[in-house]
Amino acid sequence: MTTIESSIRQIDYPQQAVYSLLSDLGNIDKVKDRIPQDKIENLEFDHDSISVKTQMGAVKLVIVNREPPKEIKFETAESPLPFNFWIQILPVTETTSKMKLTIKADINPFMASMVKKPLQQGIEKIADALQMIKYQ
């Protein structure tokens, strides 16, 4: 199992506000202008899932578990590379929190050496975008 983690990000909003926005994928409408349009096509989403066409192929993630207000877990329903993804949100103060993103994929060692760097870059870009969101 290959694990890829983002750096821990400081979020200048309370844990509950961050969780509330991210745990309902219907809220993507509020932030989709931050998604690089040249990297994805056919963005579709609802309360529990998100689908995009990427350079690597179609990807659909579905929320499989919510642990308010600290964690949201996703699984791939469609992907060239099946993986699990989750967002952890922890309080720092009453008005700030921190976030870490994690991907776990069952990849053979040969493939892991080829995809680890692009996945690390991708997870950091997702973390960058999530860090910039106005959560209230």
Side-chain angles (χ1 to χ4, degrees), residues 49-65:
S49 68
I50 180 170
S51 301
V52 295
K53 184 177 177 190
T54 69
Q55 294 169 336
M56 292 175 40
V59 176
K60 181 175 184 177
L61 290 172
V62 177
I63 294 177
V64 293
N65 191 37

Side-chain angles (χ1 to χ4, degrees), residues 11-15 92-97:
I11 309 292
D12 294 329
Y13 293 91
Q15 178 188 30
V92 175
T93 68
E94 286 186 20
T95 60
T96 64
S97 53

Side-chain angles (χ1 to χ4, degrees), residues 29-47:
D29 222 17
K30 298 176 185 175
V31 297
K32 68 181 178 184
D33 60 319
R34 297 188 186 274
I35 301 170
Q37 297 305 305
D38 62 326
K39 303 292 184 206
I40 59 167
E41 298 175 37
N42 303 334
L43 176 65
E44 296 178 14
F45 50 88
D46 60 28
H47 178 71

Side-chain angles (χ1 to χ4, degrees), residues 2-39:
T2 301
T3 301
I4 298 159
E5 298 177 328
S6 72
S7 55
I8 296 172
R9 303 303 181 96
Q10 180 76 27
I11 309 292
D12 294 329
Y13 293 91
Q15 178 188 30
Q16 185 61 54
V18 175
Y19 175 85
S20 293
L21 187 90
L22 296 179
S23 64
D24 179 354
L25 296 177
N27 289 321
I28 289 174
D29 222 17
K30 298 176 185 175
V31 297
K32 68 181 178 184
D33 60 319
R34 297 188 186 274
I35 301 170
Q37 297 305 305
D38 62 326
K39 303 292 184 206

